[in-house]
């Protein structure tokens, strides 16, 4: 249960970051400052880290489920 709530939290965070990235990318044609580009890059990195955490957590969960089914 704890792992599922962690995955849920990570998915929400990833979705939020995705929306922020999309907003900044749409603003990019008008806002060409270094600060804007820097913020966009920072958010993209955070989004990627969240996705990697989701993948890693799901792998741990999958390994646990597979191990439990083998040991019964």
């Amino acid at each position: 249960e704890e792992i599922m709530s962690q995955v849920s939290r990570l998915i929400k965070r990833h979705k939020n970051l995705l929306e922020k990235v999309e907003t900044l990318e749409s603003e990019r044609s008008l806002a060409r400052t270094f600060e804007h580009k820097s913020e966009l890059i920072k958010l993209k990195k955070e989004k990627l880290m969240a996705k990697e955490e989701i993948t890693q957590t799901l792998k741990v969960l999958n390994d646990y489920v597979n191990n439990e089914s083998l040991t019964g």
Side-chain angles (χ1 to χ4, degrees):
E1 248 180 72
E2 183 181 322
I3 291 178
M4 291 309 292
S5 66
Q6 182 180 1
V7 170
S8 178
R9 181 183 52 81
L10 288 169
I11 289 172
K12 286 178 187 174
R13 181 168 178 252
H14 183 267
K15 183 179 177 183
N16 182 279
L17 288 167
L18 177 64
E19 290 170 359
K20 287 181 179 180
V21 166
E22 287 174 351
T23 300
L24 284 179
E25 284 179 336
S26 69
E27 294 172 352
R28 190 75 183 125
S29 62
L30 302 173
R32 304 295 295 172
T33 65
F34 175 76
E35 291 79 16
H36 192 273
K37 178 70 174 181
S38 178
E39 181 68 16
L40 180 59
I41 290 170
K42 184 185 103 179
L43 288 174
K44 283 184 172 186
K45 286 180 181 180
E46 284 183 42
K47 185 180 78 147
L48 180 59
M49 285 189 295
K51 184 177 180 181
E52 288 174 353
E53 276 187 76
I54 292 166
T55 302
Q56 215 171 25
T57 305
L58 288 174
K59 183 184 179 315
V60 167
L61 179 61
N62 189 42
D63 290 348
Y64 174 78
V65 169
N66 287 337
N67 196 21
E68 282 295 309
S69 65
L70 291 175
T71 60

